[in-house]
Amino acid sequence: MRIDIVTVVPEILRSPFEASILRRAIDKGLVEIHLHNLRDYTTDNYKQVDDYQFGGGSGMVMMIEPIDKCLSELKAQRDYDEIIYMTPDGETLKQGMANELSLKKNLIVLCGHYKGVDQRVRDHFITREISIGDYVLSGGELGAAVLCDSIIRLIPGVLGNETSALTDSFQDNLLAPPIYTRPAEYKGWKVPEILTSGNTPKIEQWREDQAYKRTKLLRPDLLEDEN
Ligand code: ADE
């Protein structure tokens, strides 16, 4: 998979891909991340990427020209499955969406800044608009990092068996059951006996029951949702 991230502040996006699982995925050749600085696609001396809104109003708007130049150059080189715009008014990111996007080959992620991008960018280039939650960030970069992390960890070979994505919370619309490791007793606090019984079918049943109970208590909405 290849992900091209288009941004005015590429610095924000360097560290998430330089550490941990994401770095390992890149090193293994399972994913390529390319950061593109929109200022490199400007033609004026000031490298201007934003301007005042037509009709007045506070806040700057990202101009269409540098975005067009960058996206058109990328699109001329390969076919993209989706051109995603990170924005608080997009569709909220859910596990199902991450699953779906993890199967794609080439993605572009455009990060908004200031008030956002000129509407014509959204009308003519963007195929999908994604929000990471109902709050406003100062730019789309942290959202893009969250989105990429949720996608990349699902690519086969990125996670070892020991951290299988299949038992994550939200796969099957259930929260994950409680987990424990050694010691079996700490300061008198014991691990549930079933987990040390060696009875695998019973353990599986217990985990399922716990996942359901937790979901019912903490996120009953997940039991009604279909996504
Ligand atoms: N940009 C600003 N806020 C955002 C959000 N909640 N999700 C994605 N991109 C954003």
Side-chain angles (χ1 to χ4, degrees), residues 7 51 55 57 63 65-66 125 127 135 143 165 175 206 208 210 212:
T7 166
D51 209 337
M63 294 189 293
E65 193 181 354
F125 290 100
T127 62
Y135 38 80
L175 301 183
W206 180 86
E208 244 173 70
Q210 290 290 320
Y212 182 77

Side-chain angles (χ1 to χ4, degrees), residues 162-164 167-169 175-184 189-192 194-196 203-204 206-208 210-211 214:
E162 75 280 8
T163 43
S164 167
T167 53
D168 286 341
S169 279
L175 301 183
I179 49 171
Y180 300 87
T181 187
R182 290 187 303 163
W189 303 323
K190 290 190 181 124
V191 166
I194 179 83
L195 293 177
T196 52
I203 291 172
E204 281 312 307
W206 180 86
R207 285 185 171 146
E208 244 173 70
Q210 290 290 320
R214 257 194 181 182

Side-chain angles (χ1 to χ4, degrees), residues 85-91 110-114 130-144:
Y85 175 50
M86 301 307 301
T87 174
D89 51 13
E91 192 186 347
L110 172 64
C111 304
H113 239 267
Y114 318 110
I130 298 179
S131 162
I132 63 159
D134 287 342
Y135 38 80
V136 181
L137 302 167
S138 55
E141 287 74 16
L142 293 175

